[in-house]
Amino acid sequence: MAHKLAMIGFGTVGQGLAQILLDKKEGLRNLGVETQLVAVSTLSKGSLYHPEGLDLAELLAAAKTGSLAHYPNTPGLQRGWDNLKIIHQSNADTVVEVSYTNLTTGQPAIDYCRAAFESGKNIVTANKGPVALAYHELAALAQAKGVRFGIEGTVMSGTPALRLPLVTLAGNDIREVRGIFNGTTNFILTKMEEGLSYTAALKQAQELGYAEADPTADVEGHDAAGKVVILANVVMNVSLAQSEVSCRGISQLTGADIQQAQAEGKRWKLIGRVKKEGAQVIASVQPEALPLSDPLANVMGATNAITYECDLSGPITLVGAGAGSAQTGFALLIDLINIARKNL
Ligand code: HSE
């Protein structure tokens, strides 16, 4: 039987997943994964619910017009259900939560996760808010209700920054994780080295869809700090709060700082780090001038990278996309595939 999905939010990421489900329908069926998108609910474009599934091509076409009102009427189609009604009352097995990220309160996404779990539905999300601010509570609730909490897309989009350490590196004690966790700032630093101004580089990052709706979260390091908290809680199994991450972004770096580093054979990177020192956990996000011999110094543009310091396998570094429609859509898909396979 098809795995029924309800999507809360239908921006770049949600549309990315819908496009993949449309394009890869046959390939996914061969993997034993058959999905049916039964509901889409947005604040700005309206909402649709059909218990027997929406037409993905029509849905994507309607979204491009800016309003789901352009989706054709079919018998059984319901319009105007709000997010919570869809979560509670639709026949979906899984809620794909891709509404906007709030790293201060985590809301309303935390409430959507709670409501889904209480209704016996899985959550698959790329939203950092609930995972950075309420991971332990939500994971425990999901477990108590016998449903799944898929969060791969919250760090480094479809680059498996969470599943790699949890599944493939299991058995190692990971004492430290560090990396480049924000594509917007790495893109800005790369462009400034090429001679662009900070403002022009930020504008390009926004045009390319890397930046958050409010790019302050990117440039002041809060987005990276959210990912540091997720990595600490999920990968290193410690309880870390966002307020415990010492956080400084790149907005104070000048063209002169970048050139000075270049002259010294170095390169500025916004580095997130979490480290266990005895019983203590130390976490930070800050710009660091790395020598060019450091592998992280050579990660350019919007690309992200992460190094896990493992006691058995030694350091392992993963480099890949940290944002993007298809890349984050894939992160949601891989959670759906692993739910279907009953894997972690
Ligand atoms: N704004 C984020 C970034 C998107 O630039 O990395 C992915 O979290």
Coordinates of all heavy atoms in Angstrom, one line a residue, residues 148-246:
R148 N 8.2 7.5 13.7 CA 9.6 7.9 13.4 C 9.8 9.4 13.3 O 8.8 10.2 12.9 CB 10.0 7.3 12.0 CG 9.9 5.7 12.1 CD 11.1 5.2 12.8 NE 12.3 5.5 12.1 CZ 12.9 4.8 11.1 NH1 12.4 3.7 10.8 NH2 14.0 5.2 10.6
F149 N 11.0 9.9 13.6 CA 11.3 11.3 13.5 C 12.5 11.4 12.6 O 13.7 11.2 13.0 CB 11.7 11.7 15.0 CG 11.9 13.2 15.2 CD1 11.3 14.2 14.3 CD2 12.6 13.7 16.2 CE1 11.5 15.5 14.5 CE2 12.8 15.1 16.5 CZ 12.2 16.0 15.6
G150 N 12.3 11.7 11.3 CA 13.3 11.8 10.3 C 13.9 13.2 10.2 O 13.1 14.1 9.9
I151 N 15.2 13.3 10.4 CA 15.8 14.7 10.5 C 17.0 14.9 9.7 O 17.7 15.8 9.9 CB 16.1 15.0 12.0 CG1 17.1 14.0 12.6 CG2 14.8 15.0 12.8 CD1 17.6 14.3 13.9
E152 N 17.2 13.9 8.7 CA 18.5 14.0 8.0 C 18.7 15.4 7.3 O 19.8 15.9 7.2 CB 18.5 12.9 6.9 CG 19.8 12.8 6.1 CD 21.0 12.4 7.0 OE1 21.1 11.3 7.4 OE2 21.9 13.3 7.2
G153 N 17.6 16.0 6.8 CA 17.8 17.3 6.1 C 18.1 18.5 6.9 O 18.2 19.6 6.4
T154 N 18.2 18.3 8.3 CA 18.4 19.5 9.1 C 19.9 19.9 9.1 O 20.2 21.1 9.5 CB 18.0 19.3 10.6 OG1 18.7 18.1 11.1 CG2 16.5 19.0 10.6
V155 N 20.8 19.0 8.8 CA 22.2 19.4 8.7 C 22.8 19.0 7.4 O 22.7 17.8 7.0 CB 23.0 18.7 9.9 CG1 24.5 19.1 9.8 CG2 22.5 19.1 11.2
M156 N 23.3 19.9 6.6 CA 24.0 19.6 5.3 C 23.0 19.0 4.3 O 23.5 18.2 3.5 CB 25.2 18.8 5.5 CG 26.4 19.6 6.2 SD 27.8 18.6 6.5 CE 28.5 18.2 4.9
S157 N 21.8 19.3 4.3 CA 20.8 18.9 3.3 C 21.0 17.4 3.0 O 21.0 16.6 4.0 CB 20.8 19.7 2.1 OG 22.0 19.7 1.4
G158 N 21.1 17.0 1.8 CA 21.2 15.6 1.4 C 22.6 14.9 1.6 O 22.7 13.7 1.3
T159 N 23.5 15.7 2.1 CA 24.8 15.1 2.4 C 24.6 14.4 3.8 O 24.2 15.1 4.7 CB 25.9 16.2 2.5 OG1 25.9 16.9 1.3 CG2 27.3 15.6 2.7
P160 N 24.9 13.1 3.9 CA 24.4 12.4 5.1 C 25.2 12.6 6.4 O 25.8 11.7 7.0 CB 24.5 10.9 4.6 CG 25.6 10.9 3.6 CD 25.5 12.2 2.9
A161 N 25.1 13.9 6.8 CA 25.9 14.3 8.0 C 25.5 13.6 9.3 O 26.2 13.5 10.2 CB 25.8 15.8 8.1
L162 N 24.2 13.2 9.3 CA 23.7 12.5 10.5 C 23.7 11.0 10.4 O 24.1 10.3 11.3 CB 22.2 13.0 10.8 CG 22.1 14.5 11.1 CD1 20.7 14.9 11.3 CD2 23.0 15.0 12.2
R163 N 23.2 10.5 9.2 CA 23.1 9.1 9.1 C 24.5 8.4 9.0 O 24.7 7.3 9.5 CB 22.3 8.7 7.9 CG 21.6 7.4 8.0 CD 20.5 7.1 7.0 NE 19.2 7.2 7.6 CZ 18.3 8.2 7.4 NH1 18.6 9.2 6.6 NH2 17.1 8.1 8.0
L164 N 25.5 9.1 8.4 CA 26.9 8.5 8.3 C 27.4 8.2 9.7 O 27.8 7.1 10.0 CB 27.8 9.5 7.6 CG 29.2 9.0 7.6 CD1 29.5 8.0 6.4 CD2 30.2 10.1 7.5
P165 N 27.4 9.2 10.7 CA 28.0 8.8 12.0 C 27.1 7.8 12.8 O 27.6 6.9 13.4 CB 28.1 10.1 12.7 CG 27.2 11.1 12.0 CD 27.2 10.6 10.6
L166 N 25.7 8.0 12.6 CA 24.8 7.1 13.4 C 24.8 5.7 12.9 O 24.7 4.8 13.7 CB 23.4 7.7 13.3 CG 23.1 9.0 14.0 CD1 21.7 9.4 13.8 CD2 23.4 8.9 15.5
V167 N 25.0 5.5 11.6 CA 24.9 4.2 11.1 C 26.2 3.6 10.7 O 26.7 2.6 11.2 CB 24.0 4.2 9.8 CG1 23.9 2.8 9.2 CG2 22.5 4.6 10.2
T168 N 27.0 4.3 9.9 CA 28.2 3.7 9.3 C 29.4 3.8 10.3 O 30.2 3.0 10.3 CB 28.5 4.4 8.0 OG1 27.3 4.5 7.2 CG2 29.6 3.7 7.2
L169 N 29.4 4.9 11.1 CA 30.5 5.0 12.0 C 30.2 4.5 13.4 O 30.9 4.8 14.4 CB 31.0 6.5 12.1 CG 31.5 7.1 10.8 CD1 31.8 8.6 10.9 CD2 32.6 6.3 10.2
A170 N 29.0 3.9 13.6 CA 28.6 3.4 14.9 C 29.7 2.5 15.5 O 30.3 1.7 14.8 CB 27.3 2.6 14.8
G171 N 29.9 2.7 16.8 CA 30.9 1.9 17.5 C 32.1 2.8 17.8 O 32.9 2.5 18.8
N172 N 32.3 3.9 17.1 CA 33.3 4.9 17.4 C 32.8 5.7 18.6 O 31.6 6.0 18.7 CB 33.6 5.8 16.2 CG 34.4 5.2 15.2 OD1 35.6 5.0 15.4 ND2 33.8 4.8 14.0
D173 N 33.7 6.2 19.4 CA 33.4 7.3 20.2 C 33.8 8.6 19.5 O 35.0 8.8 19.1 CB 34.2 7.2 21.6 CG 33.8 8.2 22.6 OD1 32.7 8.9 22.4 OD2 34.5 8.4 23.6
I174 N 32.8 9.4 19.2 CA 33.1 10.7 18.4 C 33.3 11.8 19.4 O 32.4 12.2 20.1 CB 32.0 11.0 17.4 CG1 31.9 9.8 16.4 CG2 32.3 12.3 16.7 CD1 30.8 10.0 15.4
R175 N 34.6 12.2 19.6 CA 34.9 13.2 20.7 C 34.7 14.6 20.2 O 34.6 15.5 21.0 CB 36.4 13.0 21.1 CG 36.7 11.6 21.5 CD 36.1 11.2 22.8 NE 36.3 12.1 23.9 CZ 35.6 12.1 25.1 NH1 34.7 11.2 25.2 NH2 35.9 12.9 26.0
E176 N 34.8 14.8 18.9 CA 34.7 16.2 18.3 C 34.2 16.2 16.9 O 34.4 15.2 16.2 CB 36.2 16.8 18.3 CG 36.1 18.3 17.8 CD 37.5 18.9 17.7 OE1 38.4 18.5 18.3 OE2 37.5 20.0 17.0
V177 N 33.4 17.2 16.6 CA 32.8 17.3 15.3 C 33.1 18.8 14.9 O 32.8 19.7 15.8 CB 31.3 17.1 15.3 CG1 30.7 17.5 14.0 CG2 31.0 15.6 15.4
R178 N 33.6 19.1 13.8 CA 33.8 20.5 13.4 C 33.6 20.6 11.9 O 33.7 19.6 11.1 CB 35.2 21.0 13.8 CG 36.3 20.4 13.0 CD 37.7 21.0 13.3 NE 38.7 20.3 12.6 CZ 39.2 19.2 12.9 NH1 38.8 18.5 14.0 NH2 40.1 18.6 12.1
G179 N 33.2 21.8 11.4 CA 33.0 21.9 10.0 C 32.5 23.2 9.6 O 32.4 24.2 10.4
I180 N 32.2 23.2 8.3 CA 31.5 24.4 7.6 C 30.1 24.0 7.4 O 29.8 23.2 6.6 CB 32.2 24.7 6.3 CG1 33.7 25.1 6.5 CG2 31.5 25.8 5.5 CD1 34.6 25.1 5.3
F181 N 29.2 24.7 8.2 CA 27.8 24.2 8.3 C 26.9 25.2 7.7 O 25.7 25.1 7.7 CB 27.4 24.0 9.7 CG 28.2 22.9 10.4 CD1 28.7 23.1 11.7 CD2 28.6 21.7 9.7 CE1 29.5 22.2 12.3 CE2 29.3 20.8 10.4 CZ 29.8 21.0 11.7
N182 N 27.4 26.3 7.1 CA 26.5 27.3 6.5 C 27.0 27.7 5.1 O 28.1 28.2 4.9 CB 26.4 28.5 7.4 CG 25.5 29.6 6.8 OD1 25.9 30.5 6.1 ND2 24.2 29.4 7.1
G183 N 26.2 27.4 4.1 CA 26.5 27.6 2.7 C 26.6 29.1 2.4 O 27.5 29.5 1.6
T184 N 25.7 29.8 2.9 CA 25.6 31.3 2.5 C 26.9 32.0 2.9 O 27.5 32.7 2.1 CB 24.4 31.9 3.3 OG1 23.2 31.3 2.9 CG2 24.3 33.4 3.0
T185 N 27.4 31.8 4.1 CA 28.6 32.5 4.6 C 29.8 32.0 3.9 O 30.7 32.7 3.5 CB 28.8 32.3 6.1 OG1 28.6 31.0 6.5 CG2 27.8 33.2 6.9
N186 N 29.9 30.6 3.6 CA 31.1 30.1 2.8 C 31.1 30.7 1.4 O 32.1 31.1 0.9 CB 31.0 28.6 2.8 CG 32.5 28.1 2.7 OD1 33.4 28.5 3.4 ND2 32.7 27.2 1.7
F187 N 29.9 30.9 0.9 CA 29.8 31.5 -0.5 C 30.2 32.9 -0.4 O 31.0 33.4 -1.3 CB 28.3 31.4 -0.9 CG 28.0 32.0 -2.3 CD1 28.2 31.3 -3.4 CD2 27.5 33.3 -2.4 CE1 28.0 31.9 -4.7 CE2 27.3 33.9 -3.6 CZ 27.5 33.2 -4.7
I188 N 29.8 33.7 0.6 CA 30.1 35.1 0.7 C 31.7 35.2 0.9 O 32.3 36.0 0.2 CB 29.4 35.7 1.9 CG1 27.9 35.8 1.7 CG2 30.0 37.1 2.2 CD1 27.1 36.3 2.9
L189 N 32.3 34.4 1.7 CA 33.7 34.5 1.9 C 34.5 34.1 0.6 O 35.5 34.8 0.3 CB 34.1 33.5 3.0 CG 33.6 33.9 4.4 CD1 33.9 32.8 5.5 CD2 34.2 35.2 4.9
T190 N 34.0 33.2 -0.1 CA 34.6 32.8 -1.4 C 34.5 34.0 -2.4 O 35.5 34.3 -3.0 CB 33.9 31.6 -2.0 OG1 34.0 30.5 -1.1 CG2 34.5 31.2 -3.3
K191 N 33.4 34.6 -2.5 CA 33.2 35.7 -3.4 C 34.0 36.9 -3.0 O 34.5 37.7 -3.8 CB 31.7 36.1 -3.5 CG 30.9 35.0 -4.2 CD 31.2 35.0 -5.7 CE 30.7 33.7 -6.4 NZ 31.2 33.5 -7.7
M192 N 34.1 37.2 -1.7 CA 34.9 38.3 -1.2 C 36.3 38.1 -1.6 O 37.1 39.1 -1.9 CB 34.7 38.5 0.3 CG 33.4 39.2 0.7 SD 33.1 39.2 2.5 CE 34.2 40.6 3.0
E193 N 36.8 36.9 -1.5 CA 38.2 36.6 -1.9 C 38.4 36.9 -3.4 O 39.5 37.3 -3.8 CB 38.5 35.1 -1.6 CG 40.0 34.8 -1.6 CD 40.3 33.4 -1.2 OE1 39.8 32.9 -0.2 OE2 41.1 32.8 -1.9
E194 N 37.3 36.7 -4.2 CA 37.4 37.0 -5.6 C 37.2 38.5 -5.9 O 37.2 38.9 -7.0 CB 36.3 36.2 -6.4 CG 36.5 34.7 -6.4 CD 35.3 34.0 -6.9 OE1 34.3 34.6 -7.4 OE2 35.3 32.7 -6.8
G195 N 37.0 39.3 -4.8 CA 36.9 40.8 -5.0 C 35.6 41.4 -4.9 O 35.4 42.6 -4.9
L196 N 34.5 40.6 -4.7 CA 33.2 41.1 -4.5 C 33.0 41.7 -3.1 O 33.6 41.3 -2.2 CB 32.2 40.0 -4.7 CG 31.0 40.2 -5.6 CD1 31.4 40.5 -7.0 CD2 30.0 39.0 -5.6
S197 N 32.1 42.7 -3.0 CA 31.9 43.3 -1.7 C 31.0 42.3 -0.9 O 30.3 41.5 -1.5 CB 31.1 44.6 -1.8 OG 29.8 44.4 -2.2
Y198 N 31.0 42.5 0.4 CA 30.1 41.6 1.3 C 28.7 41.7 0.9 O 28.0 40.7 0.7 CB 30.3 42.1 2.8 CG 29.4 41.5 3.8 CD1 29.7 40.4 4.4 CD2 28.2 42.2 4.1 CE1 28.9 39.8 5.4 CE2 27.4 41.6 5.0 CZ 27.7 40.4 5.7 OH 26.8 39.9 6.6
T199 N 28.2 43.0 0.7 CA 26.8 43.2 0.3 C 26.4 42.5 -1.0 O 25.4 41.9 -1.1 CB 26.5 44.7 0.2 OG1 27.1 45.3 1.4 CG2 25.0 45.0 0.2
A200 N 27.3 42.7 -2.0 CA 27.0 42.1 -3.3 C 27.0 40.6 -3.2 O 26.2 39.9 -3.8 CB 28.0 42.6 -4.4
A201 N 28.0 40.0 -2.4 CA 28.1 38.6 -2.3 C 26.8 38.0 -1.6 O 26.3 37.0 -2.0 CB 29.3 38.2 -1.5
L202 N 26.4 38.7 -0.6 CA 25.2 38.3 0.2 C 23.9 38.3 -0.8 O 23.1 37.4 -0.8 CB 24.9 39.2 1.4 CG 23.6 39.0 2.1 CD1 23.4 37.5 2.6 CD2 23.5 39.9 3.3
K203 N 23.9 39.4 -1.6 CA 22.7 39.5 -2.5 C 22.7 38.3 -3.5 O 21.7 37.6 -3.7 CB 22.9 40.8 -3.3 CG 21.7 41.1 -4.1 CD 21.6 42.6 -4.5 CE 20.5 42.9 -5.4 NZ 20.8 42.5 -6.8
Q204 N 23.9 37.9 -4.0 CA 24.0 36.7 -4.9 C 23.6 35.4 -4.1 O 22.8 34.6 -4.7 CB 25.4 36.5 -5.3 CG 25.7 37.3 -6.6 CD 27.1 36.8 -7.3 OE1 27.6 35.7 -7.0 NE2 27.7 37.7 -8.0
A205 N 24.0 35.3 -2.9 CA 23.6 34.1 -2.1 C 22.1 34.0 -1.9 O 21.5 32.9 -2.0 CB 24.3 34.1 -0.7
Q206 N 21.5 35.2 -1.7 CA 20.0 35.2 -1.6 C 19.4 34.8 -2.9 O 18.4 34.0 -3.0 CB 19.6 36.6 -1.2 CG 19.9 36.9 0.3 CD 19.5 38.3 0.7 OE1 20.0 39.3 0.2 NE2 18.6 38.4 1.6
E207 N 19.9 35.4 -4.0 CA 19.3 35.1 -5.4 C 19.4 33.6 -5.7 O 18.6 33.0 -6.3 CB 20.0 35.9 -6.4 CG 19.5 37.4 -6.4 CD 20.5 38.4 -7.2 OE1 21.5 37.9 -7.8 OE2 20.2 39.6 -7.1
L208 N 20.5 33.0 -5.2 CA 20.7 31.6 -5.5 C 19.9 30.7 -4.6 O 20.0 29.4 -4.7 CB 22.2 31.2 -5.5 CG 23.0 31.8 -6.6 CD1 24.5 31.8 -6.4 CD2 22.7 31.1 -7.9
G209 N 19.2 31.3 -3.6 CA 18.4 30.5 -2.7 C 19.1 29.8 -1.6 O 18.5 28.9 -0.9
Y210 N 20.3 30.2 -1.3 CA 21.1 29.6 -0.2 C 20.6 30.2 1.2 O 20.6 29.5 2.2 CB 22.6 29.8 -0.3 CG 23.2 29.3 -1.6 CD1 24.2 30.0 -2.2 CD2 22.8 28.1 -2.1 CE1 24.7 29.6 -3.4 CE2 23.3 27.6 -3.3 CZ 24.3 28.4 -4.0 OH 24.9 28.0 -5.1
A211 N 20.4 31.5 1.2 CA 20.2 32.2 2.5 C 18.8 31.9 3.1 O 17.9 31.5 2.4 CB 20.3 33.7 2.2
E212 N 18.8 32.0 4.4 CA 17.5 31.9 5.1 C 16.6 33.1 4.7 O 17.1 34.1 4.2 CB 17.7 31.9 6.6 CG 18.5 30.8 7.2 CD 17.9 29.4 7.0 OE1 16.8 29.2 7.5 OE2 18.5 28.6 6.3
A213 N 15.3 33.0 5.0 CA 14.4 34.1 4.7 C 14.9 35.4 5.3 O 14.9 36.5 4.7 CB 13.0 33.8 5.3
D214 N 15.4 35.3 6.6 CA 16.1 36.5 7.2 C 17.6 36.1 7.3 O 18.0 35.3 8.1 CB 15.6 36.7 8.6 CG 16.3 37.8 9.3 OD1 17.3 38.4 8.7 OD2 16.0 38.2 10.4
P215 N 18.4 36.6 6.4 CA 19.8 36.2 6.3 C 20.7 36.5 7.5 O 21.8 36.0 7.6 CB 20.4 36.9 5.0 CG 19.5 38.0 4.9 CD 18.2 37.7 5.4
T216 N 20.1 37.3 8.5 CA 20.8 37.5 9.7 C 21.2 36.2 10.4 O 22.3 36.0 10.9 CB 19.9 38.3 10.7 OG1 19.3 39.3 10.0 CG2 20.7 38.8 11.9
A217 N 20.3 35.2 10.3 CA 20.6 33.9 10.9 C 21.9 33.3 10.3 O 22.6 32.6 11.0 CB 19.4 33.0 10.7
D218 N 22.1 33.5 9.0 CA 23.3 33.0 8.3 C 24.5 33.8 8.7 O 25.5 33.2 9.3 CB 23.1 33.1 6.8 CG 22.0 32.2 6.3 OD1 22.1 31.0 6.4 OD2 21.0 32.8 5.7
V219 N 24.5 35.1 8.5 CA 25.7 35.9 8.6 C 26.2 36.0 10.1 O 27.4 36.2 10.4 CB 25.6 37.2 7.9 CG1 25.4 37.0 6.4 CG2 24.6 38.1 8.5
E220 N 25.2 36.0 11.0 CA 25.6 36.1 12.5 C 25.9 34.7 13.1 O 26.2 34.6 14.3 CB 24.5 36.8 13.2 CG 24.3 38.2 12.8 CD 25.5 39.1 12.8 OE1 26.5 38.8 13.4 OE2 25.5 40.2 12.2
G221 N 25.8 33.7 12.3 CA 26.3 32.3 12.8 C 25.2 31.5 13.5 O 25.4 30.4 13.9
H222 N 23.9 32.1 13.6 CA 22.9 31.3 14.3 C 22.5 30.0 13.6 O 22.2 29.0 14.3 CB 21.7 32.2 14.6 CG 22.0 33.5 15.2 ND1 21.4 34.7 14.9 CD2 22.9 33.8 16.2 CE1 21.9 35.7 15.7 NE2 22.9 35.2 16.4
D223 N 22.4 30.1 12.3 CA 22.1 28.9 11.5 C 23.1 27.8 11.8 O 22.8 26.6 12.1 CB 22.0 29.2 10.0 CG 21.8 28.0 9.2 OD1 20.6 27.5 9.1 OD2 22.8 27.5 8.6
A224 N 24.4 28.2 11.7 CA 25.5 27.2 12.0 C 25.4 26.7 13.4 O 25.6 25.5 13.7 CB 26.8 27.8 11.7
A225 N 25.1 27.6 14.4 CA 25.0 27.2 15.8 C 23.8 26.2 16.0 O 24.0 25.2 16.8 CB 24.8 28.4 16.6
G226 N 22.7 26.4 15.3 CA 21.6 25.5 15.3 C 22.1 24.1 14.9 O 21.8 23.0 15.5
K227 N 22.9 24.0 13.9 CA 23.4 22.7 13.4 C 24.4 22.1 14.3 O 24.4 20.9 14.5 CB 24.0 22.9 12.0 CG 22.9 23.2 11.0 CD 23.5 23.8 9.7 CE 22.4 24.2 8.7 NZ 22.9 25.1 7.6
V228 N 25.2 23.0 15.0 CA 26.1 22.5 16.0 C 25.3 21.8 17.2 O 25.7 20.7 17.6 CB 27.0 23.6 16.6 CG1 27.7 23.3 17.9 CG2 28.1 24.0 15.5
V229 N 24.2 22.4 17.6 CA 23.4 21.9 18.6 C 22.8 20.5 18.2 O 22.8 19.5 18.9 CB 22.3 22.9 19.0 CG1 21.3 22.2 20.0 CG2 22.9 24.1 19.7
I230 N 22.3 20.5 16.9 CA 21.7 19.2 16.4 C 22.8 18.1 16.4 O 22.6 17.0 16.9 CB 21.2 19.4 15.0 CG1 20.0 20.4 15.1 CG2 20.8 18.1 14.4 CD1 19.4 20.8 13.7
L231 N 24.0 18.5 15.9 CA 25.1 17.4 15.9 C 25.4 17.0 17.3 O 25.7 15.8 17.5 CB 26.3 18.0 15.2 CG 26.2 18.2 13.7 CD1 27.2 19.2 13.1 CD2 26.3 16.9 13.0
A232 N 25.5 17.9 18.3 CA 25.8 17.5 19.7 C 24.8 16.6 20.2 O 25.1 15.5 20.7 CB 25.9 18.8 20.5
N233 N 23.5 16.9 20.0 CA 22.4 16.2 20.6 C 22.2 14.8 19.9 O 21.9 13.8 20.6 CB 21.1 17.0 20.6 CG 21.1 18.1 21.5 OD1 21.8 18.1 22.5 ND2 20.3 19.2 21.3
V234 N 22.3 14.8 18.6 CA 22.0 13.6 17.8 C 23.2 12.7 17.6 O 23.1 11.5 17.8 CB 21.4 14.0 16.4 CG1 21.1 12.8 15.6 CG2 20.1 14.9 16.6
V235 N 24.3 13.3 17.3 CA 25.5 12.5 17.0 C 26.3 12.2 18.2 O 26.9 11.1 18.4 CB 26.4 13.2 15.9 CG1 27.7 12.5 15.6 CG2 25.6 13.3 14.6
M236 N 26.5 13.2 19.1 CA 27.4 13.0 20.2 C 26.6 12.6 21.5 O 27.2 12.4 22.5 CB 28.3 14.2 20.4 CG 29.2 14.4 19.2 SD 30.1 15.9 19.3 CE 31.4 15.5 20.4
N237 N 25.3 12.6 21.4 CA 24.4 12.2 22.4 C 24.6 13.0 23.8 O 24.7 12.4 24.8 CB 24.5 10.7 22.7 CG 23.3 10.1 23.4 OD1 22.3 10.7 23.4 ND2 23.5 9.0 24.1
V238 N 24.8 14.3 23.6 CA 24.9 15.1 24.8 C 23.7 16.1 24.8 O 23.2 16.3 23.7 CB 26.2 15.9 24.9 CG1 27.4 14.9 25.0 CG2 26.4 16.8 23.7
S239 N 23.4 16.7 25.9 CA 22.3 17.7 25.9 C 22.9 19.1 25.8 O 23.5 19.6 26.8 CB 21.5 17.6 27.2 OG 20.5 16.7 27.0
L240 N 22.8 19.7 24.7 CA 23.4 21.0 24.5 C 22.3 22.0 24.1 O 21.4 21.6 23.2 CB 24.5 21.0 23.4 CG 25.3 22.3 23.2 CD1 26.3 22.5 24.3 CD2 26.0 22.2 21.9
A241 N 22.3 23.2 24.7 CA 21.3 24.2 24.3 C 21.9 25.2 23.4 O 23.1 25.4 23.5 CB 20.7 24.9 25.5
Q242 N 21.1 25.8 22.6 CA 21.6 26.9 21.6 C 22.4 28.0 22.4 O 23.4 28.5 21.9 CB 20.4 27.4 20.9 CG 20.7 28.5 19.8 CD 20.5 27.9 18.4 OE1 20.3 26.7 18.2 NE2 20.6 28.8 17.4
S243 N 21.9 28.3 23.6 CA 22.5 29.4 24.4 C 23.9 29.0 24.9 O 24.7 29.8 25.3 CB 21.6 29.7 25.6 OG 21.4 28.5 26.4
E244 N 24.2 27.7 24.8 CA 25.6 27.3 25.3 C 26.6 27.3 24.2 O 27.8 26.9 24.4 CB 25.5 25.9 25.9 CG 24.6 25.8 27.1 CD 24.4 24.4 27.6 OE1 23.5 23.7 27.0 OE2 25.1 23.9 28.5
V245 N 26.2 27.7 23.0 CA 27.2 27.7 21.9 C 27.7 29.2 21.8 O 26.9 30.1 21.6 CB 26.5 27.4 20.5 CG1 27.5 27.4 19.4 CG2 25.8 26.0 20.6
S246 N 29.0 29.4 22.0 CA 29.5 30.7 21.8 C 29.5 31.0 20.3 O 30.0 30.2 19.5 CB 30.9 30.9 22.5 OG 31.9 30.5 21.6

